[in-house]
Amino acid sequence: MNIQREDTAPYYIPIGDEAAVFETAYQKKLPLMLKGPTGCGKTRFIRYMAHRLRRPVVTVACHDDLTASDLVGRYLVKGGETVWIDGPLTHAVRIGAICYLDEIVEARQDTTVVIHPLTDDRRILPVEKTGETLTAPDEFMLVISFNPGYQSLLKDLKPSTKQRFLALEFDYPAADREAEIVAHESGVDIKTARSLVLLGSKIRNLKDKGLEETVSTRLLIYAGQLIQGGIREQRACEISMLQPITDEPDVKRGIKELITSVF
Amino acid sequence: MIQAFIDKTINRNTQEKQDVSLSVVRLQEIQKVLDIYLSGLMKQPLGVRENRIWQEGKGYVFGLIRGANKQVPSGPEDSYTDLKRIYLPEEIGTSPDTGGNFNVYKAIIAHKYGQIRFGSLEVLGLFEKIQNPNLVRDLFALIEDARMERRLVEELGGLKRLFAACKKSSLDVRNGVSSMSPKEARVEALVRISLDPKNDLATVPDEVKTWAQPYRAEMLHLIGNGSTASDSARLALRIMGVLNRQEGEYRGVDPVPYRGRINLNAVLRTLRGAIRVETVGRVGDGETENAEHKQQELTTERKVTPESAEFDEEEAKRGILLNRFEKISMIAKYFNISRSLDTDEDVEDLRKSLDELESTGMIRTARKAGSILLVENDFDFDTEAADVDTGDGPPGILYDEWDCRTGSFRKGWCTLRERTYDRLDAEWADHLMQRETHLFTRIRKEFMAIRPECQKLRKRIDGEEVDNDAFIEALADIHAGVAPSEKIYIKRSRRRKEIATAFLADLSASTDAYVKNMRIMDQQREALLLLGEAMEAIRDRYAIYGFSSKTRKQCDFYALKGFEENYGPEIKARIGGMKPLDYTRMGPAIRHLTGILKNVRARTKLMIILSDGKPNDFDVYEGKYGIEDIKKAVLEARASGIQSYCITVDTEAREYLPTIFERGNFLVLEDIQALPQKLVGMYRRLTGLTGPGRVRS
């Protein structure tokens, strides 16, 4: 189980009113959905908010084998005895943590149903096997992330699930902000960071034009880290911003030319 | 002078003939790469919608970069942009190695991008009144290019190397000044300074050197201090004034290959069109400052050339309407100016009407929006006739149509007939599969590999083997005194019964058009055939339908392959026999297919629409009306649990598809050649087939 306590404030630059919205949702005990492309800072935002609110975060990376008992808990046999082991969701409810279900669409649809009673005003979690019904403390908050658009059609979130959440939309930050973030996170100088962001924006121009997914802020930071570690700029960009996103020869070559135009 | 340059180049070419023939880079080979490169550089790609060039007998050519048929530049020095397209030579072979020749292409693209990015060409109106503009044009080019390139490399540092190499090789091939007139010698000196500010002007006479010295300083100053294109133009005009007092004529100097030339007339034509755009309105996101700057420049220019508006009136009288509309919509789009929707649509409609007339060579009655054409071409305008039920064959099914103007359905508005497709072509498929054996084999293998034979469905109530995880969990439950789950088996499934996919192909006349020398319909046929093979390999359930319409009374729906039909020679012959028919009234087809899918037992139902363009029909189905109807039909399908997806080769689709399909639920193909593989790839992605032997729960 992934429980994190943020003792020092994680680096995060608010872009809009997202922190205020999060805080209000927390106070009003409303569940929240973070929408946005991969690597734009959703997870970092959660950690940042967890620190601000002084709550631990229980993160569950959802995958397509994730079952309800993976979330809620199960009995295990230990030396002839059976022991009930809380799943991450149950645990988060018990300790009043922020429970973060990352990439919720990846989970089986019947799994997502178990979170429903936690999302309305009852805020309860029935644990069928133990016969318990847990009521979430005020400090508990449910947050899910969702990346619309890129997954397969089979994996759209059920409207009945979607409608239970407030939704905050995330996108890649504006150029100046993004450069600041890249510089801070990777340790490259601001000039290099700006060039990385410029290159990023050029590659993002290719979205829907040969590219299905483009470069995230995270990839820009990776590039910066490679450069900081002594890898040549062009090579670093190739490794972090070209190879991960496409296999098509022409698109690759085109992006390569963009890289050599910027660096 | 240009001749001398060409001679010299040819001489070089003959000397290195052996190498050169191997190192020549042809545009055709690298067009896609340049395309990607330019699209990356520019947020708003140059002329995606503007460069539909009509070619006799060939249909449309999306000449994003390639020159129009009339003016294919002969070499790099002849390349230019008219702000809508970049015109490139068919091949470049000036460098002894392929990399060098490719780099010339790249440098041209970067240079043209710079000209557009930094507003180089928008001040050319200043030279419009000048009698013989060649001198001032060349002066402006050499000053402005130096300024613009400086700005460009400040932004894109990597271009510094590229330009440096290009500048060096450009300097190397320049002719001496011995045969030049005093005017030409002076311009030549300035060109060398432009290419290399520290150039020692070695072969230039002393008097010219002395003359050029102050201008060197001025140029350096101008380049370094953040001046604008207008400053370059002013300096050019001033130097022209000075040079005009010199003896001798001006026949031009050697061109700088990678910088190409400034095509004054072509740019002015584009700008004239743009001036007429109402520049009011919101400036979109992104390069706001830049756009504002450009608007300003345009406004300035309007003042500079007041007669340009009159000229346009004349042009309009002569009936070159299409041309201007194109420019308006292009420039407006490029500058992110929002226009009123109506105007936009009118322009679109007009264009569309013209486009279609050309694309099929058929004569059709003009529609409402074609009223401008009406004046000119004296078409009959008669939608009443269109209302006559011309349908024959089986009795029709009536479908409602959404009317966005009244916000209500028109009850039973469209008559749809399901027809058997009887145009067969048995040979085509065999032919293609023989020709593309490799591709077909590969796709088949690829899909065989991911055939979900080993697909394991976990936690089932019955199955061939025990699901250990589930079993242990059940044991623990029993131990704890809790009722265990009975779902402790793994079931192997050969066929993913839960998925049923219907493909809906556009059979409208516009699929007869050519894109990059390929007929849309041929690509569609190939795509469907390839898909058939893939689906057979993977054994998913699918059906293929086609649609076409001729007014609301005659919407035809063809079953090319029903869900229950087996793929075989018959189906292949139907796909082979697919022909462009009439119009694109998509709403009824989607509604009908929704009905079919509703009766198919499957957990996930997909509808994948292959389209080549906007909706239209003989009677009104254009623009917002058609789009809103389709949107409604897609929503209805969704409400019935059917997911819709669209794949199109219409590059304009990016403007209207997002309003119909959710983000990620459509794909706009730039390269029609990629259609077959993209379609297959898309199916894989949509249905979550990601790799061989994947265990799915």
Side-chain angles (χ1 to χ4, degrees):
Chain A
M1 203 177 304
N2 182 357
I3 306 169
Q4 249 178 325
R5 278 171 211 278
E6 304 295 344
D7 297 328
T8 51
Y11 174 78
Y12 182 83
I13 307 177
I15 289 173
D17 61 353
E18 70 269 30
V21 170
F22 193 103
E23 256 185 50
T24 313
Y26 174 77
Q27 280 153 15
K28 300 285 176 196
K29 304 193 272 289
L30 302 171
L32 189 64
M33 163 162 54
L34 309 182
K35 286 166 46 160
T38 356
C40 70
K42 296 188 296 277
T43 306
R44 181 60 65 89
F45 172 63
I46 292 287
R47 289 180 46 206
Y48 168 76
M49 288 312 297
H51 176 260
R52 258 176 80 152
L53 298 167
R54 311 280 164 206
R55 298 310 314 157
V57 190
V58 175
T59 306
V60 182
C62 300
H63 54 86
D64 53 9
D65 267 345
L66 190 83
T67 59
S69 38
D70 291 330
L71 278 182
V72 178
R74 54 166 54 93
Y75 280 110
L76 290 183
V77 184
K78 266 188 186 169
E81 291 282 302
T82 48
V83 194
W84 170 258
I85 303 289
D86 275 345
L89 184 64
T90 314
H91 185 74
V93 171
R94 282 196 211 276
I95 63 170
I98 295 172
C99 184
Y100 179 45
L101 305 179
D102 200 4
E103 299 293 358
I104 184 84
V105 270
E106 292 290 341
R108 287 163 61 136
Q109 294 206 332
D110 50 342
T111 309
T112 44
V113 177
V114 305
I115 63 174
H116 283 189
L118 273 173
T119 55
D120 51 37
D121 56 351
R122 293 174 292 167
R123 282 170 59 91
I124 51 166
L125 177 66
V127 185
E128 222 176 288
K129 284 180 183 170
T130 57
E132 275 179 288
T133 297
L134 299 177
T135 307
D138 289 353
E139 295 78 16
F140 172 80
M141 182 177 188
L142 186 62
V143 184
I144 61 174
S145 81
F146 172 54
N147 180 356
Y150 101 94
Q151 271 99 358
S152 84
L153 282 183
L154 302 186
K155 286 183 183 165
D156 199 4
L157 212 51
K158 270 192 197 168
S160 63
T161 305
K162 255 190 212 172
Q163 284 186 14
R164 293 169 173 270
F165 291 85
L166 304 171
L168 260 179
E169 188 160 24
F170 281 68
D171 205 347
Y172 304 123
D176 285 351
R177 282 279 161 80
E178 198 168 27
E180 210 180 305
I181 294 166
V182 171
H184 180 276
E185 291 287 282
S186 66
V188 291
D189 57 87
I190 189 73
K191 191 170 162 284
T192 312
R194 283 215 186 92
S195 297
L196 284 170
V197 169
L198 179 74
L199 178 59
S201 76
K202 300 286 177 205
I203 297 176
R204 284 172 198 163
N205 284 348
L206 295 174
K207 172 92 188 153
D208 293 331
K209 197 183 158 110
L211 283 187
E212 274 157 18
E213 273 295 289
T214 79
V215 286
S216 59
T217 308
R218 176 167 39 217
L219 285 180
L220 298 185
I221 293 169
Y222 287 173
Q225 285 173 333
L226 288 180
I227 294 169
Q228 222 273 328
I231 308 283
R232 228 161 45 86
E233 287 152 336
Q234 289 185 10
R235 183 76 184 128
C237 293
E238 219 172 277
I239 294 164
S240 57
M241 292 158 80
L242 192 173
Q243 298 295 356
I245 58 170
T246 184
D247 296 312
E248 277 182 59
D250 285 342
V251 180
K252 265 184 167 172
R253 177 88 191 267
I255 294 178
K256 204 163 176 177
E257 300 306 335
L258 287 172
I259 294 175
T260 54
S261 294
V262 173
F263 287 104
Chain B
M1 202 57 52
I2 290 170
Q3 193 53 46
F5 174 82
I6 291 168
D7 289 348
K8 203 166 170 182
T9 319
I10 288 170
N11 278 340
R12 260 184 58 170
N13 278 354
T14 16
Q15 278 162 22
E16 297 156 3
K17 202 170 178 182
Q18 213 64 31
D19 301 327
V20 166
S21 61
L22 290 173
S23 65
V24 169
V25 172
R26 285 177 189 81
L27 181 58
Q28 216 180 342
E29 296 156 10
I30 52 148
Q31 187 164 354
K32 177 95 194 288
V33 175
L34 295 179
D35 216 2
I36 296 281
Y37 180 56
L38 182 64
S39 319
L41 288 177
M42 283 215 187
K43 189 161 192 163
Q44 198 62 262
L46 245 202
V48 157
R49 58 192 287 180
E50 289 65 49
N51 48 20
R52 279 190 171 188
I53 308 156
W54 170 254
Q55 263 187 6
E56 203 66 52
K58 277 192 175 176
Y60 288 115
V61 180
F62 277 85
L64 184 61
I65 300 175
R66 192 193 276 272
N69 51 346
K70 48 185 195 296
Q71 285 171 306
V72 177
S74 50
E77 68 285 347
D78 202 24
S79 59
Y80 67 95
T81 176
D82 56 6
L83 291 171
K84 297 195 293 180
R85 287 180 275 260
I86 293 173
Y87 296 84
L88 293 176
E90 293 279 11
E91 56 178 49
I92 293 181
T94 39
S95 168
D97 63 293
T98 5
N101 286 324
F102 174 83
N103 275 344
V104 179
Y105 271 121
K106 182 180 172 185
I108 297 173
I109 299 274
H111 181 268
K112 299 295 168 280
Y113 162 71
Q115 284 189 326
I116 294 163
R117 169 82 176 83
F118 296 105
S120 294
L121 302 174
E122 283 156 28
V123 298
L124 291 182
L126 286 167
F127 308 144
E128 208 182 9
K129 284 183 260 176
I130 292 165
Q131 283 283 318
N132 191 352
N134 285 0
L135 175 59
V136 73
R137 182 198 61 199
D138 291 355
L139 287 168
F140 171 72
L142 69 91
I143 299 164
E144 172 60 14
D145 282 342
R147 178 197 79 89
M148 176 275 286
E149 284 169 11
R150 168 68 167 268
R151 294 284 301 273
L152 189 59
V153 299
E154 271 167 14
E155 196 173 279
L156 298 164
L159 290 178
K160 213 170 192 163
R161 285 186 309 271
L162 179 67
F163 282 151
C166 288
K167 282 175 179 171
K168 192 179 170 302
S169 61
S170 302
L171 275 169
D172 287 349
V173 297
R174 296 196 76 76
N175 283 298
V177 292
S178 48
S179 61
M180 290 183 181
S181 75
K183 264 184 199 170
E184 288 158 2
R186 283 166 173 76
V187 175
E188 173 64 25
L190 294 180
V191 170
R192 292 184 192 183
I193 292 170
S194 164
L195 288 168
D196 170 20
K198 295 199 180 77
N199 194 285
D200 56 2
L201 304 177
T203 58
V204 173
D206 282 347
E207 49 154 359
V208 176
K209 228 185 264 184
T210 326
W211 175 86
Q213 222 47 25
Y215 295 114
R216 187 200 295 260
E218 275 203 64
M219 278 168 67
L220 273 174
H221 180 70
L222 185 136
I223 292 164
N225 73 351
S227 312
T228 65
S230 314
D231 298 322
S232 302
R234 268 190 287 276
L235 181 58
L237 284 166
R238 193 147 51 80
I239 300 178
M240 180 191 72
V242 174
L243 281 179
N244 275 343
R245 291 195 284 275
Q246 289 282 341
E247 289 295 307
E249 51 177 344
Y250 179 72
R251 293 159 297 177
V253 292
D254 288 345
V256 179
Y258 79 95
R259 286 177 176 175
R261 65 189 170 101
I262 290 180
N263 188 333
L264 207 55
N265 289 333
V267 173
L268 289 176
R269 263 199 303 274
T270 308
L271 289 174
R272 257 184 232 122
I275 291 166
R276 294 181 63 87
V277 181
E278 289 298 322
T279 49
V280 220
R282 183 185 63 89
V283 175
D285 52 338
E287 293 161 37
T288 312
E289 204 179 314
N290 196 23
E292 265 168 4
H293 173 70
K294 281 186 174 130
Q295 275 188 33
Q296 229 169 32
E297 296 247 20
L298 276 177
T299 329
T300 333
E301 218 213 319
R302 194 203 310 240
K303 284 174 201 145
V304 176
T305 57
E307 70 274 45
S308 60
E310 285 163 34
F311 183 86
D312 242 49
E313 296 296 332
E314 260 186 59
E315 203 178 38
K317 270 181 217 152
R318 278 185 282 131
I320 317 173
L321 275 169
L322 173 70
N323 211 11
R324 210 183 67 223
F325 279 130
E326 250 185 0
K327 288 165 192 162
I328 293 173
S329 51
M330 183 283 299
I331 295 283
K333 191 180 165 199
Y334 176 55
F335 294 146
N336 273 334
I337 299 161
S338 74
R339 293 137 295 168
S340 85
L341 202 60
D342 284 341
T343 325
D344 192 20
E345 270 177 21
D346 289 347
V347 174
E348 268 322 305
D349 287 348
L350 173 64
R351 263 169 48 68
K352 194 90 198 177
S353 336
L354 281 175
D355 285 355
E356 269 164 22
L357 277 168
E358 286 176 335
S359 76
T360 58
M362 283 183 214
I363 294 175
R364 295 175 189 165
T365 24
R367 300 170 302 272
K368 219 173 225 163
S371 53
I372 305 169
L373 274 177
L374 194 75
V375 185
E376 251 184 84
N377 293 343
D378 203 22
F379 281 137
D380 283 334
F381 183 58
D382 186 10
T383 43
E384 281 308 307
D387 266 357
V388 177
D389 188 345
T390 47
D392 48 6
I397 308 161
L398 295 183
Y399 282 101
D400 298 347
E401 187 162 285
W402 177 255
D403 188 343
C404 61
R405 295 166 300 196
T406 60
S408 61
F409 281 103
R410 291 168 129 173
K411 290 280 172 213
W413 188 249
C414 301
T415 313
L416 181 137
R417 281 181 187 79
E418 210 176 292
R419 294 168 187 273
T420 40
Y421 200 78
D422 49 10
R423 295 178 184 82
L424 302 180
D425 183 347
E427 281 156 35
W428 178 83
D430 292 341
H431 216 77
L432 180 79
M433 285 168 80
Q434 250 166 34
R435 206 184 67 211
E436 302 277 349
T437 320
H438 181 71
L439 178 64
F440 277 85
T441 319
R442 194 170 61 77
I443 290 287
R444 227 172 287 141
K445 268 192 186 153
E446 209 173 281
F447 273 76
M448 294 279 241
I450 55 167
R451 178 192 290 179
E453 263 176 329
C454 42
Q455 187 181 355
K456 291 177 179 175
L457 306 171
R458 291 187 177 280
K459 294 198 169 177
R460 296 287 144 165
I461 203 142
D462 55 40
E464 295 85 15
E465 56 182 293
V466 173
D467 183 341
N468 284 335
D469 290 347
F471 181 66
I472 290 166
E473 207 175 310
L475 277 184
D477 286 349
I478 293 167
H479 216 81
V482 181
S485 165
E486 289 170 11
K487 298 178 178 173
I488 54 160
Y489 294 98
I490 288 177
K491 190 172 185 163
R492 288 174 178 277
S493 170
R494 284 186 162 265
R495 192 162 184 162
R496 305 188 301 163
K497 284 206 183 67
E498 72 269 32
I499 298 176
T501 311
F503 296 88
L504 186 59
D506 183 351
L507 300 179
S508 65
S510 47
T511 53
D512 203 17
Y514 282 73
V515 176
K516 284 188 185 153
N517 296 335
M518 266 171 281
R519 197 165 73 128
I520 295 172
M521 180 51 83
D522 291 340
Q523 289 304 105
Q524 247 185 36
R525 287 195 293 176
E526 190 176 328
L528 287 176
L529 196 66
L530 201 59
L531 191 87
E533 294 290 320
M535 298 298 263
E536 285 310 304
I538 202 169
R539 297 178 188 157
D540 272 359
R541 281 201 295 166
Y542 70 107
I544 302 172
Y545 299 97
F547 73 98
S548 165
S549 68
K550 213 187 283 171
T551 79
R552 66 188 179 90
K553 296 284 186 188
Q554 198 187 335
C555 304
D556 294 332
F557 190 85
Y558 301 95
L560 295 161
K561 181 200 171 296
F563 275 106
E564 302 314 320
E565 275 179 290
N566 285 324
Y567 181 78
E570 169 85 16
I571 307 291
K572 283 189 207 167
R574 280 188 216 155
I575 294 176
M578 277 168 63
K579 281 200 171 54
L581 301 171
D582 300 297
Y583 291 87
T584 326
R585 200 183 204 97
M586 212 184 271
I590 294 178
R591 290 191 175 94
H592 188 67
L593 188 51
T594 303
I596 293 176
L597 277 167
K598 264 191 200 167
N599 293 325
V600 173
R601 276 175 63 98
R603 224 173 86 187
T604 306
K605 298 170 185 179
L606 297 180
M607 184 192 297
I608 299 182
I609 301 163
L610 271 82
S611 156
D612 75 317
K614 278 188 187 176
N616 69 332
D617 200 349
F618 193 69
D619 49 350
V620 184
Y621 198 68
E622 273 91 357
K624 195 164 184 261
Y625 181 89
I627 287 171
E628 289 294 320
D629 179 52
I630 296 173
K631 188 177 174 182
K632 205 83 185 168
V634 166
L635 281 174
E636 289 161 30
R638 205 190 157 96
S640 310
I642 298 158
Q643 303 270 27
S644 311
Y645 197 98
C646 182
I647 184 163
T648 182
V649 289
D650 178 14
T651 42
E652 290 170 24
R654 231 171 254 124
E655 289 162 32
Y656 60 90
L657 276 188
T659 67
I660 303 177
F661 301 93
E662 280 176 41
R663 188 182 154 270
N665 287 2
F666 63 90
L667 182 67
V668 179
L669 276 191
E670 293 295 332
D671 184 5
I672 183 161
Q673 205 174 352
L675 176 66
Q677 302 208 34
K678 282 277 181 185
L679 180 69
V680 172
M682 192 189 69
Y683 180 79
R684 261 184 81 157
R685 188 170 68 84
L686 288 178
T687 57
L689 291 165
T690 41
R694 187 158 183 232
V695 178
R696 293 182 55 86
S697 53

